[in-house]
PDB file of all heavy atoms in Angstrom:
ATOM      1  N   PRO A  24      23.039  17.699 -14.595  1.00 98.00           N
ATOM      2  CA  PRO A  24      21.806  17.027 -15.030  1.00 98.00           C
ATOM      3  C   PRO A  24      22.027  15.514 -15.123  1.00 98.00           C
ATOM      4  O   PRO A  24      23.000  15.073 -15.733  1.00 98.00           O
ATOM      5  CB  PRO A  24      21.538  17.620 -16.419  1.00 98.00           C
ATOM      6  CG  PRO A  24      22.393  18.850 -16.502  1.00 98.00           C
ATOM      7  CD  PRO A  24      23.573  18.618 -15.617  1.00 98.00           C
ATOM      8  N   GLY A  27      20.772   9.085 -18.263  1.00 98.00           N
ATOM      9  CA  GLY A  27      21.046   7.647 -18.379  1.00 98.00           C
ATOM     10  C   GLY A  27      19.963   6.797 -17.745  1.00 98.00           C
ATOM     11  O   GLY A  27      18.821   7.235 -17.618  1.00 98.00           O
ATOM     12  N   ALA A  49       6.987 -24.955   7.519  1.00 98.00           N
ATOM     13  CA  ALA A  49       8.235 -25.668   7.854  1.00 98.00           C
ATOM     14  C   ALA A  49       9.084 -25.873   6.599  1.00 98.00           C
ATOM     15  O   ALA A  49      10.265 -26.180   6.689  1.00 98.00           O
ATOM     16  CB  ALA A  49       7.891 -27.013   8.482  1.00 98.00           C
ATOM     17  N   THR A  53      11.644 -19.591  -1.207  1.00 98.00           N
ATOM     18  CA  THR A  53      12.711 -18.835  -1.872  1.00 98.00           C
ATOM     19  C   THR A  53      12.137 -17.547  -2.442  1.00 98.00           C
ATOM     20  O   THR A  53      11.146 -17.570  -3.175  1.00 98.00           O
ATOM     21  CB  THR A  53      13.357 -19.683  -2.989  1.00 98.00           C
ATOM     22  OG1 THR A  53      13.951 -20.824  -2.372  1.00 98.00           O
ATOM     23  CG2 THR A  53      14.438 -18.905  -3.724  1.00 98.00           C
ATOM     24  N   ILE A  57      15.227  -9.679  -3.462  1.00 98.00           N
ATOM     25  CA  ILE A  57      15.204  -9.100  -2.117  1.00 98.00           C
ATOM     26  C   ILE A  57      16.282  -8.027  -2.079  1.00 98.00           C
ATOM     27  O   ILE A  57      17.459  -8.319  -2.319  1.00 98.00           O
ATOM     28  CB  ILE A  57      15.494 -10.200  -1.062  1.00 98.00           C
ATOM     29  CG1 ILE A  57      14.372 -11.239  -1.039  1.00 98.00           C
ATOM     30  CG2 ILE A  57      15.706  -9.595   0.318  1.00 98.00           C
ATOM     31  CD1 ILE A  57      13.059 -10.767  -0.450  1.00 98.00           C
ATOM     32  N   ILE A 150      -4.078 -11.210  24.367  1.00 96.00           N
ATOM     33  CA  ILE A 150      -2.857 -10.407  24.293  1.00 96.00           C
ATOM     34  C   ILE A 150      -2.700  -9.573  25.552  1.00 96.00           C
ATOM     35  O   ILE A 150      -3.651  -8.945  26.012  1.00 96.00           O
ATOM     36  CB  ILE A 150      -2.904  -9.509  23.035  1.00 96.00           C
ATOM     37  CG1 ILE A 150      -2.947 -10.420  21.807  1.00 96.00           C
ATOM     38  CG2 ILE A 150      -1.700  -8.564  22.997  1.00 96.00           C
ATOM     39  CD1 ILE A 150      -2.811  -9.777  20.486  1.00 96.00           C
ATOM     40  N   GLY A 192     -11.292 -21.587   9.891  1.00 98.00           N
ATOM     41  CA  GLY A 192     -12.496 -20.911   9.409  1.00 98.00           C
ATOM     42  C   GLY A 192     -12.186 -19.654   8.605  1.00 98.00           C
ATOM     43  O   GLY A 192     -11.061 -19.437   8.153  1.00 98.00           O
ATOM     44  N   ILE A 196     -11.382  -9.140   6.436  1.00 98.00           N
ATOM     45  CA  ILE A 196     -10.672  -7.929   6.882  1.00 98.00           C
ATOM     46  C   ILE A 196     -11.326  -6.741   6.179  1.00 98.00           C
ATOM     47  O   ILE A 196     -11.251  -6.621   4.949  1.00 98.00           O
ATOM     48  CB  ILE A 196      -9.165  -7.997   6.538  1.00 98.00           C
ATOM     49  CG1 ILE A 196      -8.551  -9.304   7.044  1.00 98.00           C
ATOM     50  CG2 ILE A 196      -8.426  -6.786   7.102  1.00 98.00           C
ATOM     51  CD1 ILE A 196      -7.129  -9.564   6.528  1.00 98.00           C
ATOM     52  N   ALA A 200      -5.749  -2.236   3.921  1.00 98.00           N
ATOM     53  CA  ALA A 200      -4.875  -1.419   3.066  1.00 98.00           C
ATOM     54  C   ALA A 200      -4.864  -2.015   1.662  1.00 98.00           C
ATOM     55  O   ALA A 200      -4.938  -3.234   1.495  1.00 98.00           O
ATOM     56  CB  ALA A 200      -3.468  -1.404   3.649  1.00 98.00           C
ATOM     57  N   ILE A 219      -7.078 -16.811  -0.358  1.00 98.00           N
ATOM     58  CA  ILE A 219      -7.290 -15.376  -0.113  1.00 98.00           C
ATOM     59  C   ILE A 219      -8.007 -14.780  -1.316  1.00 98.00           C
ATOM     60  O   ILE A 219      -7.628 -15.047  -2.459  1.00 98.00           O
ATOM     61  CB  ILE A 219      -5.931 -14.642   0.057  1.00 98.00           C
ATOM     62  CG1 ILE A 219      -5.130 -15.239   1.209  1.00 98.00           C
ATOM     63  CG2 ILE A 219      -6.124 -13.132   0.261  1.00 98.00           C
ATOM     64  CD1 ILE A 219      -3.680 -14.773   1.259  1.00 98.00           C
ATOM     65  N   LEU A 235       0.673 -24.597   5.361  1.00 98.00           N
ATOM     66  CA  LEU A 235       1.175 -23.992   4.117  1.00 98.00           C
ATOM     67  C   LEU A 235       2.431 -24.753   3.714  1.00 98.00           C
ATOM     68  O   LEU A 235       3.038 -25.447   4.527  1.00 98.00           O
ATOM     69  CB  LEU A 235       1.486 -22.512   4.330  1.00 98.00           C
ATOM     70  CG  LEU A 235       0.290 -21.607   4.663  1.00 98.00           C
ATOM     71  CD1 LEU A 235       0.761 -20.178   4.868  1.00 98.00           C
ATOM     72  CD2 LEU A 235      -0.769 -21.638   3.575  1.00 98.00           C
ATOM     73  N   GLU A 271       2.132   1.285 -12.764  1.00 97.00           N
ATOM     74  CA  GLU A 271       0.781   1.194 -12.183  1.00 97.00           C
ATOM     75  C   GLU A 271       0.780   1.483 -10.687  1.00 97.00           C
ATOM     76  O   GLU A 271      -0.225   1.876 -10.126  1.00 97.00           O
ATOM     77  CB  GLU A 271       0.225  -0.224 -12.381  1.00 97.00           C
ATOM     78  CG  GLU A 271      -0.538  -0.466 -13.660  1.00 97.00           C
ATOM     79  CD  GLU A 271      -1.411   0.700 -14.070  1.00 97.00           C
ATOM     80  OE1 GLU A 271      -2.235   1.154 -13.255  1.00 97.00           O
ATOM     81  OE2 GLU A 271      -1.257   1.165 -15.204  1.00 97.00           O
ATOM     82  N   LEU A 273       2.491   3.682  -9.031  1.00 97.00           N
ATOM     83  CA  LEU A 273       2.727   5.052  -8.567  1.00 97.00           C
ATOM     84  C   LEU A 273       2.040   6.080  -9.462  1.00 97.00           C
ATOM     85  O   LEU A 273       2.571   7.149  -9.723  1.00 97.00           O
ATOM     86  CB  LEU A 273       4.219   5.332  -8.325  1.00 97.00           C
ATOM     87  CG  LEU A 273       5.253   5.435  -9.418  1.00 97.00           C
ATOM     88  CD1 LEU A 273       6.502   6.103  -8.854  1.00 97.00           C
ATOM     89  CD2 LEU A 273       5.650   4.099  -9.954  1.00 97.00           C
ATOM     90  N   VAL A 294       9.236   0.539 -17.710  1.00 98.00           N
ATOM     91  CA  VAL A 294      10.252   1.587 -17.901  1.00 98.00           C
ATOM     92  C   VAL A 294       9.573   2.949 -17.850  1.00 98.00           C
ATOM     93  O   VAL A 294       8.517   3.151 -18.427  1.00 98.00           O
ATOM     94  CB  VAL A 294      10.963   1.422 -19.276  1.00 98.00           C
ATOM     95  CG1 VAL A 294      12.032   2.501 -19.474  1.00 98.00           C
ATOM     96  CG2 VAL A 294      11.569   0.035 -19.406  1.00 98.00           C
ATOM     97  N   GLN A 321       6.444  12.011  -0.190  1.00 98.00           N
ATOM     98  CA  GLN A 321       6.149  13.426   0.086  1.00 98.00           C
ATOM     99  C   GLN A 321       7.422  14.275   0.205  1.00 98.00           C
ATOM    100  O   GLN A 321       7.540  15.360  -0.378  1.00 98.00           O
ATOM    101  CB  GLN A 321       5.283  13.491   1.352  1.00 98.00           C
ATOM    102  CG  GLN A 321       4.931  14.847   1.874  1.00 98.00           C
ATOM    103  CD  GLN A 321       5.794  15.181   3.084  1.00 98.00           C
ATOM    104  OE1 GLN A 321       6.669  16.036   3.011  1.00 98.00           O
ATOM    105  NE2 GLN A 321       5.570  14.514   4.196  1.00 98.00           N
ATOM    106  N   GLU A 339       0.049  16.514   4.972  1.00 97.00           N
ATOM    107  CA  GLU A 339       0.447  15.149   5.352  1.00 97.00           C
ATOM    108  C   GLU A 339      -0.647  14.566   6.244  1.00 97.00           C
ATOM    109  O   GLU A 339      -0.876  15.064   7.350  1.00 97.00           O
ATOM    110  CB  GLU A 339       1.801  15.199   6.078  1.00 97.00           C
ATOM    111  CG  GLU A 339       2.278  13.891   6.692  1.00 97.00           C
ATOM    112  CD  GLU A 339       2.390  12.730   5.714  1.00 97.00           C
ATOM    113  OE1 GLU A 339       3.119  12.848   4.722  1.00 97.00           O
ATOM    114  OE2 GLU A 339       1.739  11.691   5.967  1.00 97.00           O
ATOM    115  N   THR A 340      -1.331  13.540   5.751  1.00 97.00           N
ATOM    116  CA  THR A 340      -2.453  12.999   6.526  1.00 97.00           C
ATOM    117  C   THR A 340      -2.127  11.666   7.195  1.00 97.00           C
ATOM    118  O   THR A 340      -2.923  11.163   7.978  1.00 97.00           O
ATOM    119  CB  THR A 340      -3.707  12.777   5.632  1.00 97.00           C
ATOM    120  OG1 THR A 340      -3.450  11.669   4.764  1.00 97.00           O
ATOM    121  CG2 THR A 340      -4.056  13.992   4.800  1.00 97.00           C
ATOM    122  N   ASN A 358      12.273  28.041   0.787  1.00 98.00           N
ATOM    123  CA  ASN A 358      11.343  28.911   1.500  1.00 98.00           C
ATOM    124  C   ASN A 358      10.119  28.070   1.874  1.00 98.00           C
ATOM    125  O   ASN A 358       9.232  27.857   1.062  1.00 98.00           O
ATOM    126  CB  ASN A 358      10.972  30.070   0.560  1.00 98.00           C
ATOM    127  CG  ASN A 358      10.095  31.088   1.246  1.00 98.00           C
ATOM    128  OD1 ASN A 358       9.644  30.877   2.371  1.00 98.00           O
ATOM    129  ND2 ASN A 358       9.850  32.191   0.559  1.00 98.00           N
ATOM    130  N   ALA A 377      24.893  22.827   1.925  1.00 96.00           N
ATOM    131  CA  ALA A 377      25.066  23.092   3.355  1.00 96.00           C
ATOM    132  C   ALA A 377      25.291  21.746   4.042  1.00 96.00           C
ATOM    133  O   ALA A 377      25.141  20.693   3.425  1.00 96.00           O
ATOM    134  CB  ALA A 377      23.817  23.770   3.915  1.00 96.00           C
ATOM    135  N   HIS A 408      20.402   6.208   7.912  1.00 91.00           N
ATOM    136  CA  HIS A 408      18.946   6.208   7.682  1.00 91.00           C
ATOM    137  C   HIS A 408      18.629   5.806   6.245  1.00 91.00           C
ATOM    138  O   HIS A 408      17.683   5.062   5.994  1.00 91.00           O
ATOM    139  CB  HIS A 408      18.366   7.599   7.932  1.00 91.00           C
ATOM    140  CG  HIS A 408      18.258   7.945   9.380  1.00 91.00           C
ATOM    141  ND1 HIS A 408      17.430   7.268  10.234  1.00 91.00           N
ATOM    142  CD2 HIS A 408      18.881   8.894  10.122  1.00 91.00           C
ATOM    143  CE1 HIS A 408      17.524   7.787  11.443  1.00 91.00           C
ATOM    144  NE2 HIS A 408      18.408   8.768  11.408  1.00 91.00           N
ATOM    145  N   VAL A 423      24.621   7.791 -13.207  1.00 98.00           N
ATOM    146  CA  VAL A 423      23.928   8.649 -14.186  1.00 98.00           C
ATOM    147  C   VAL A 423      24.479  10.078 -14.118  1.00 98.00           C
ATOM    148  O   VAL A 423      23.825  11.025 -14.550  1.00 98.00           O
ATOM    149  CB  VAL A 423      22.391   8.625 -14.005  1.00 98.00           C
ATOM    150  CG1 VAL A 423      21.838   7.275 -14.418  1.00 98.00           C
ATOM    151  CG2 VAL A 423      21.979   8.961 -12.569  1.00 98.00           C
TER     152      VAL A 423
END
Side-chain angles (χ1 to χ4, degrees):
T53 297
I57 294 289
I150 297 188
I196 308 170
I219 302 168
L235 296 179
E271 271 321 306
L273 70 164
V294 181
Q321 176 257 109
E339 173 57 58
T340 71
N358 185 352
H408 285 295
V423 290

